[in-house]
Amino acid sequence: MLQCVIGIDPGRDKCGLAVVDKEQGTVLLQVVPSVELGPAALAAAHTYHTRHIVLGNGTSHRQARERLETHQPPKPWIITIIDEAHTTEQARRRYWRENPPAGLRRLIPLGLQMPPEPVDGYVAVILAERYLTRIAKTD
């Protein structure tokens, strides 16, 4: 049974990368330059003992897949492409839930604020969770 996956939100300039474990939840969340995706995914795979990748189907997913395929673990990646519809909006909400604004910013409605950092890592978490939820229903 699959326990841990690497979620990737592919982008032209940067990619969200997250490792999500079924039991522990999010164990790694980061945003990496797109050109560093292969080595970053390989390091995560080694650290967390997984070769399962959930890749969002955004416009840059083909380039992301090529970068991953040039940095293969000893056993090849198992890559699943997954729909990333509405994940950016979900990631923004999740960011604010996990990092509530402080000071005067807490008085401004969240719908009027943009997170102060990229949410690509949160998108990667959401993609991984979608996949783990989907396969749990088929087990």
Side-chain angles (χ1 to χ4, degrees), residues 52-79:
H52 290 83
I53 291 186
V54 178
L55 182 62
N57 67 346
T59 55
S60 297
H61 82 275
R62 286 181 181 85
Q63 293 88 348
R65 186 178 193 129
E66 289 172 9
R67 287 186 172 107
L68 292 167
E69 289 173 350
T70 61
H71 291 84
Q72 290 281 350
K75 291 185 178 179
W77 297 119
I78 298 170
I79 300 175

Side-chain angles (χ1 to χ4, degrees), residues 95-107:
Y95 175 88
W96 288 122
R97 192 169 58 246
E98 294 182 13
N99 304 281
L104 293 176
R105 287 188 69 130
R106 65 185 166 81
L107 302 175

Side-chain angles (χ1 to χ4, degrees), residues 1-7 18-28 44-45 48-54 78 125 127-136 139:
M1 179 184 344
L2 184 59
Q3 189 68 19
C4 185
V5 298
I6 298 171
V19 176
V20 177
D21 182 274
K22 226 176 194 179
E23 302 297 322
Q24 297 175 357
T26 304
V27 293
L28 176 70
Y48 298 101
H49 310 290
T50 186
R51 60 192 178 100
H52 290 83
I53 291 186
V54 178
I78 298 170
V125 169
L127 293 170
E129 289 173 345
R130 280 184 182 180
Y131 180 74
L132 288 171
T133 300
R134 186 173 74 193
I135 65 164
D139 285 347

